[in-house]
């Protein structure tokens, strides 16, 4: 009798194992991998088509001669200008001047913005004191700092880095603050329940959990660094400051050289997009994908 | 025929209690806004025992669990939870989404300073125990709700038992605190996980203190069901279960008592 009962129980358990396997198979989310050609077709082809259309419309407008040549040069003239600058090696030196400044300024901003963000996020008094100021600074165009910076630092690299910092630091700090704010309160609790010390909880739980928000702050911080740098370079020009993209743009304007003005704008755009695509996009995709947050292909 | 529990009766347990709560009160706020969540609660859980705390919402059962877990301090009274820190499992799996299932299970061992290879080995053992062998490399978002809760169970076991049999001089079965861990799951998954939890409990000898508001769940799982009243939370009654227990009768009995407790608040 007892043996029979035991057998029934064992059979029930085996059945339960099958139910478990079935549940696992049915409920597991399936991840659809988008084939490469499809990603190419939806991600790469449309922007290229849009770009080609843009150039065609430009060419047609130029050909219709509504505006004089010095206002609207031909696409060929502009791209020719860019090609010439590259051929003479000047383009690379101009771009290098600007990019090295932007990267250095961004790294400075990172070094200042990260502890600042940590402080604002974790110390309530600091948050109520400078939190609003920090978000306010984000909406202040950093070009507004150029006159003050010129008066303080003169026409030196200090002016340029100051403007870049004022542009990027608030974004980076605010990104970290919102990243930490968005961490579900259950995660640090789980950490403490498992016996994590404060520093272990910060290092192993809070920082990785805040990473997506922090990273979007970094991305915005980079965009602001680049913009602020261009604003500073256009306004504060001097032989002592070196010759970056902003100075090149400024020189084009003073020489009324429309092709080089447009070439400068296109190069600024290409560098901005290029850094985003090469450095930030892949890192962001990795961060989001690891957390199951990636949207789209 | 009456439904009985498919469980062996155990020998009476000896040794110091795994959890001992003595005359514990917890008051939130102060003055006129003060809310008495717990009032003079006594509770003793023997090592290896499975106890369910049952009560309606607001009875302070989660508060009591937090006190035992050391996440909160009692206003008065004492809470003693054995030698090792109890592990907690919540209604949500609360896995760290950037870590794989295996790394999640390893985390408490890592916090305790265990070496990489031994904690990896232990995590594999525990994942096998909850029938998730071979899924150590999956991320939480690639798993179903029930599977995530089993990873959380494996992680809680890792936290409760440490390195377990491998290398430790004395195996500590540990204490597992569970706060409505199956509350967010669908009925079939919940049923399956209840059976799994019983199996894991029998296999590991862990002490379990399980909070629920589901009478059927408490009768099915626990050796002892403790009913708490609401606001303030006090121990009203407790029932033991064994292989001779008539499940339906006990279920009806506890439900009646729980209704009584809840109705007292409407009057």
């Amino acid at each position: 009798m007892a043996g029979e009962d035991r057998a029934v129980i064992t059979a029930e358990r085996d059945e339960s194992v099958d139910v478990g396997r079935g549940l696992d198979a049915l409920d597991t989310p399936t991840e659809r991998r988008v084939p490469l050609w499809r990603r190419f077709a939806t991600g790469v082809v449309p922007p290229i088509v849009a770009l080609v259309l843009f150039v065609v419309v430009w060419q047609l407008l130029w050909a219709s001669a509504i505006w004089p040549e010095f206002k609207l040069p031909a696409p060929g003239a502009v791209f020719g200008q860019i090609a010439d600058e590259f051929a003479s090696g000047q383009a690379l030196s101009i771009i290098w001047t600007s990019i090295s400044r932007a990267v250095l300024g961004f790294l400075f901003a990172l070094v200042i913005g990260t502890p600042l963000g940590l402080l604002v996020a974790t110390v309530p008094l600091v948050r109520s004191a400078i939190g609003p100021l920090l978000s306010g600074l984000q909406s202040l165009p950093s070009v507004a700092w150029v006159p003050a910076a010129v008066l303080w630092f003169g026409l030196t690299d200090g002016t340029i880095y100051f403007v870049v910092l004022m542009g990027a630091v608030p974004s980076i700090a605010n990104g970290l603050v919102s990243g930490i704010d968005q961490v579900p309160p259950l995660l640090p609790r789980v950490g403490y329940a498992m016996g994590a010390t404060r520093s272990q909880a910060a290092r192993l739980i809070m920082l990785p959990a805040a990473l997506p928000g922090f990273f979007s702050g970094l991305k915005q911080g980079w965009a602001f660094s680049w913009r602020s740098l261009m604003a500073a370079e256009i306004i504060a020009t001097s032989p002592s400051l070196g010759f970056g993209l902003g100075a090149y743009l400024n020189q084009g304007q003073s020489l009324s050289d429309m092709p080089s003005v447009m070439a400068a704008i296109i190069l600024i755009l290409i560098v901005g997009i290029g850094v985003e695509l090469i450095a930030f996009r892949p890192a962001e995709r990795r961060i989001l994908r690891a957390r199951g947050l990636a949207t789209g292909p | 025929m009456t439904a009985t529990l498919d469980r062996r009766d155990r020998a009476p347990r000896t040794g110091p209690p795994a959890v001992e709560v003595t005359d514990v009160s917890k008051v939130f706020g102060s003055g006129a806004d003060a809310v008495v969540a717990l009032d003079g609660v006594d509770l003793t859980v023997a090592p290896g025992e499975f106890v369910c705390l049952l009560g309606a919402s607001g009875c302070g059962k989660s508060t009591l669990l937090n006190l035992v877990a050391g996440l909160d301090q009692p206003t008065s009274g004492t809470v003693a939870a054995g030698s090792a820190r109890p592990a907690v499992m919540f209604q949500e799996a609360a896995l760290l989404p950037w870590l794989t299932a295996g790394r999640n299970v390893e985390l408490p061992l890592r916090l305790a300073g265990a070496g990489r290879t031994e904690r990896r080995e232990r995590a594999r053992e525990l994942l096998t125990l909850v029938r998730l062998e071979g899924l150590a490399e999956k991320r939480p978002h690639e798993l179903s709700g029930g599977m995530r809760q089993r990873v959380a169970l494996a992680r809680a076991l890792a936290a409760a038992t440490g390195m377990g049999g491998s290398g430790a001089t004395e195996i500590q079965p540990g204490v597992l605190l569970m706060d409505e861990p199956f509350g967010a799951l669908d009925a079939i998954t919940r049923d399956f996980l209840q059976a799994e939890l019983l199996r894991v409990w029998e296999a590991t000898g862990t002490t379990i203190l399980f909070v629920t508001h589901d009478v059927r769940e408490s009768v099915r799982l626990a050796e002892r069901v403790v009913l708490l009243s609401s606001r303030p939370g006090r121990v009203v009654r407790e029932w033991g279960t064994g292989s001779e227990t008539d499940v339906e009768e006990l279920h009806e009995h506890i439900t009646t008592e729980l209704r009584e407790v809840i109705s007292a608040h409407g009057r």
Side-chain angles (χ1 to χ4, degrees), chain A residues 190-279:
Chain A
V190 166
Y192 292 126
M194 288 189 298
T197 62
R198 274 189 81 84
S199 87
Q200 281 178 323
R203 201 159 35 87
L204 297 174
I205 295 175
M206 287 311 278
L207 284 182
L211 196 57
F214 184 44
F215 197 84
S216 71
L218 289 187
K219 216 169 70 163
Q220 200 189 19
W222 165 257
F224 277 43
S225 301
W226 186 240
R227 278 186 214 189
S228 312
L229 177 69
M230 288 305 113
E233 281 188 352
I234 291 169
I235 299 177
T237 51
S238 148
S240 64
L241 280 179
F243 197 67
L245 277 166
Y248 177 61
L249 180 56
N250 189 40
Q251 174 194 277
Q253 185 211 342
S254 45
L255 298 176
S256 294
D257 179 6
M258 200 58 194
S260 68
V261 166
M262 297 190 77
I265 294 175
I266 290 173
L267 287 178
I268 293 172
L269 198 62
I270 287 176
V271 171
I273 296 173
V275 170
E276 154 98 26
L277 284 183
I278 293 167

Side-chain angles (χ1 to χ4, degrees), chain B residues 5-266:
Chain B
L5 294 160
D6 65 347
R7 193 185 300 151
R8 287 157 285 165
D9 279 328
R10 296 195 173 206
R13 295 187 173 89
T14 52
V19 175
E20 193 164 28
V21 173
T22 317
D23 196 23
V24 155
S25 298
K26 178 70 185 174
V27 182
F28 290 106
S30 58
D33 297 330
V35 176
V36 182
L38 294 172
D39 184 28
V41 173
D42 291 303
L43 179 71
T44 306
V45 184
E49 199 181 8
F50 196 140
V51 174
C52 265
L53 281 177
L54 180 70
S57 52
C59 71
K61 49 194 190 302
S62 297
T63 309
L64 184 55
L65 208 69
N66 284 342
L67 294 180
V68 177
L71 292 173
D72 207 350
Q73 298 303 317
T75 312
S76 67
T78 57
V79 175
S83 49
R85 163 186 286 277
V88 193
M89 211 178 136
F90 300 94
Q91 184 166 351
E92 291 163 61
L95 301 175
L96 306 183
W98 59 92
L99 295 179
T100 61
R103 290 296 177 98
N104 266 290
V105 177
E106 281 177 42
L107 188 64
L109 306 171
R110 188 174 169 194
L111 293 173
R116 176 171 295 233
T117 34
E118 46 176 354
R119 66 177 194 238
R120 191 154 297 172
E121 183 54 38
R122 178 75 178 135
R124 189 172 312 139
E125 263 171 48
L126 288 168
L127 283 174
T128 307
L129 179 65
V130 297
R131 299 196 213 277
L132 288 174
E133 59 274 17
L135 296 180
E137 292 308 312
K138 293 277 183 194
R139 308 247 179 200
H141 69 270
E142 297 171 302
L143 302 172
S144 71
M147 290 157 99
R148 268 179 239 166
Q149 209 52 298
R150 271 142 68 205
V151 176
L153 176 61
R155 184 176 66 178
L157 285 169
T161 61
M163 293 305 298
S166 44
T169 47
E170 194 187 355
I171 299 169
Q172 287 199 330
V175 177
L176 209 56
L177 308 173
M178 311 182 87
D179 192 354
E180 303 193 29
F182 309 142
L185 301 170
D186 63 272
I188 298 175
T189 308
R190 193 184 314 144
D191 178 67
F192 169 64
L193 284 188
Q194 286 167 353
E196 285 295 288
L197 179 61
L198 282 176
R199 184 179 62 77
V200 168
W201 170 61
E202 281 177 4
T204 57
T206 307
T207 310
I208 299 183
L209 185 57
F210 189 106
V211 160
T212 182
H213 58 255
D214 182 347
V215 178
R216 197 164 288 281
E217 185 171 64
S218 71
V219 171
R220 177 176 184 195
L221 293 175
E223 294 177 290
R224 192 148 60 91
V225 180
V226 177
L227 179 63
L228 286 181
S229 64
S230 299
R231 253 176 258 138
R234 291 194 184 106
V235 175
V236 178
R237 258 196 83 171
E238 53 177 76
W239 295 266
T241 66
S243 59
E244 296 304 309
T245 306
D246 183 332
V247 173
E248 288 308 317
E249 198 185 330
L250 183 61
H251 175 252
E252 208 150 299
H253 192 70
I254 298 179
T255 307
T256 314
E257 196 94 9
L258 180 59
R259 285 222 174 106
E260 190 66 27
V261 165
I262 296 171
S263 322
H265 281 269

